[in-house]
Amino acid sequence: MALVNEHFLKLPNNYLFADIAKKVNAFKAIHPKADVISLGIGDVTQPLCPAVTEAMHRAVDEMATTQGFRGYGPEQGYDFLREAILKNDFLPRGIHLDIDEIFVNDGAKSDTGNIQELIRWDNSIGVTDPIYPVYIDSNVMIGRAGILINGRWSNVVYMPCVAENGFVPRMPENSHVDVIYLCYPNNPTGMVISKEELRRWVNYALRNDILIFYDAAYEAYITDPKIPHSIYEIKGARKCAIEFHSYSKTAGFTGVRCGYTVVPKDLTAGTLDGKRVALNPLWNRRQSTKFNGTSYISQRAAEAIYTPEGKEQVRKTIDYYMHNAHTMLSRLRALGYEVYGGENAPYIWMKTPRSMEKGKQENASPSWRFFEELLYGAHVVCTPGVGFGPAGEGYVRFTAFGSREATEAALDRIEKWHK
Ligand SMILES: *Cc1c(COP(=O)(O)O)cnc(C)c1O
């Protein structure tokens, strides 16, 4: 008999965005004429830039010739892209990486989910809370997260990031962790980490022999020159951190699929008998076995982001989204809402009003209650913060990825509804 991996059964079967879709569809069934604006899901809306699509067309034409055809590529990615990554994302920040430390992938979701294969099943993990759900769920599936009790996994250490602590997570002192997931700029809160604070994390990890999995998917949205783009800007991070990058939010690659992971050669983890093992060769082995590379066309597309035209065009789209973010921040603030993020990230994290806390019997969650009231009152979709973790309760997330028109229209409606 084939026995199922029962860890899968521990996962709540409601996926956040499926739940949202269900509620939006229920609303639409009653109000078939209402036109609903979604500022909920974290997908981009603006088309790929010309530098990227031209590179893709060229790659397709190459593939149509006998000389230019490419079959299986290197599992780690083509050198043309890995070199462009080193030269553009790291060297200008004084970070010297080796080409073998870059692993091109089909997006950061795969690797942030797969990376936990490198550590023993009984290692314990710590996460900032709220958080991108992939980190925890991928650990649940392998049995590392324990069981779910009142919205918390028994073997996960949660580090709350809430308005009361300025969204700065406290390092775990009384609970043991082996691996910590950090994501900056943060999804869902849109908050960033200062260089000093990140240095404290790196030193903490080095002191306690902890691995950091650092998700930098939104690094391109940083405008403040004091905010670090990469954890390797901090001395010593090569010995304790793996970093994930994605072109999805940087250049609208959510449908193209390309990103990369950095696994420094200095990075090691322990064995039970006290030896140290380098993780870079292990990840290389893992990828060579389970991954067959990202398409040549996607990698040529990614390379084009680093050309002067590509950089300028990508910057324009990011500026477009950030203009939305700034408009949302100021107009929501003007209504008296408490809003965070949105300065160096395409997300606005908003505290739900006090009034959402009463009427506990019907819908105990202020996040969900505000979501529904906004949907029915203003026909605008946001994401309930509690879907990202227990400390997200009492918040909702708005994304800046809408079109200018949709964003402005949503704000007009929220203003009208608010009055
Ligand atoms: C969107 C996102 C990703 C990556 O997405 P891919 O499309 O798989 O590259 C990774 N981490 C966070 C926090 C994200 O929001």
Side-chain angles (χ1 to χ4, degrees), residues 395-406:
Y395 293 87
V396 293
R397 188 192 75 175
F398 290 101
T399 89
F401 288 135
S403 69
R404 179 86 76 244
E405 298 70 34

Side-chain angles (χ1 to χ4, degrees), residues 282-334:
L282 294 196
W283 186 245
N284 190 38
R285 187 71 175 82
R286 191 265 172 215
Q287 289 297 83
S288 305
T289 300
K290 297 197 184 182
F291 182 61
N292 243 340
T294 307
S295 90
Y296 176 66
I297 300 162
S298 296
Q299 293 191 61
R300 281 294 184 199
E303 182 194 24
I305 297 168
Y306 296 111
T307 60
E309 312 77 62
K311 280 182 189 170
E312 195 190 310
Q313 293 163 6
V314 162
R315 176 45 49 196
K316 266 213 189 102
T317 307
I318 291 176
D319 289 347
Y320 175 94
Y321 293 136
M322 288 312 290
H323 182 92
N324 286 346
H326 295 147
T327 309
M328 290 160 83
L329 272 185
S330 65
R331 288 181 65 180
L332 290 169
R333 238 170 228 154

Side-chain angles (χ1 to χ4, degrees), residues 144-155:
R144 198 179 284 115
I147 50 169
L148 190 61
I149 307 166
N150 294 332
R152 291 159 184 276
W153 294 93
S154 55
N155 293 348

Side-chain angles (χ1 to χ4, degrees), residues 153-192:
W153 294 93
S154 55
N155 293 348
V156 173
V157 174
Y158 291 82
M159 298 173 274
C161 297
V162 288
E164 289 71 26
N165 64 12
F167 296 93
V168 177
R170 280 258 302 277
M171 286 152 196
E173 274 157 17
N174 305 316
S175 7
H176 175 84
V177 291
D178 303 294
V179 178
I180 284 174
Y181 289 82
L182 295 178
C183 172
Y184 287 106
N186 189 262
N187 175 12
T189 66
M191 299 298 278
V192 290

Side-chain angles (χ1 to χ4, degrees), residues 107-110 132 135 183 187 215 217-218 246 248-249 257 347:
K109 187 190 242 183
S110 314
Y132 183 54
Y135 312 150
C183 172
N187 175 12
D215 189 343
Y218 294 94
S246 167
S248 285
K249 319 301 168 21
R257 311 307 305 146
Y347 294 119

Side-chain angles (χ1 to χ4, degrees), residues 216-324:
Y218 294 94
E219 146 301 297
Y221 287 81
I222 296 171
T223 46
D224 183 341
K226 294 194 295 291
I227 302 297
H229 288 249
S230 164
I231 195 168
Y232 305 115
E233 289 179 46
I234 311 295
K235 205 166 149 244
R238 290 180 52 90
K239 287 197 164 75
C240 64
I242 289 176
E243 183 167 280
F244 307 93
H245 287 250
S246 167
Y247 298 111
S248 285
K249 319 301 168 21
T250 305
F253 273 40
T254 50
V256 175
R257 311 307 305 146
C258 195
Y260 66 90
T261 296
V262 183
V263 187
K265 290 178 180 167
D266 298 350
L267 190 65
T268 62
T271 64
L272 277 186
D273 57 3
K275 296 197 186 72
R276 303 296 299 188
V277 176
L279 294 183
N280 174 288
L282 294 196
W283 186 245
N284 190 38
R285 187 71 175 82
R286 191 265 172 215
Q287 289 297 83
S288 305
T289 300
K290 297 197 184 182
F291 182 61
N292 243 340
T294 307
S295 90
Y296 176 66
I297 300 162
S298 296
Q299 293 191 61
R300 281 294 184 199
E303 182 194 24
I305 297 168
Y306 296 111
T307 60
E309 312 77 62
K311 280 182 189 170
E312 195 190 310
Q313 293 163 6
V314 162
R315 176 45 49 196
K316 266 213 189 102
T317 307
I318 291 176
D319 289 347
Y320 175 94
Y321 293 136
M322 288 312 290
H323 182 92
N324 286 346

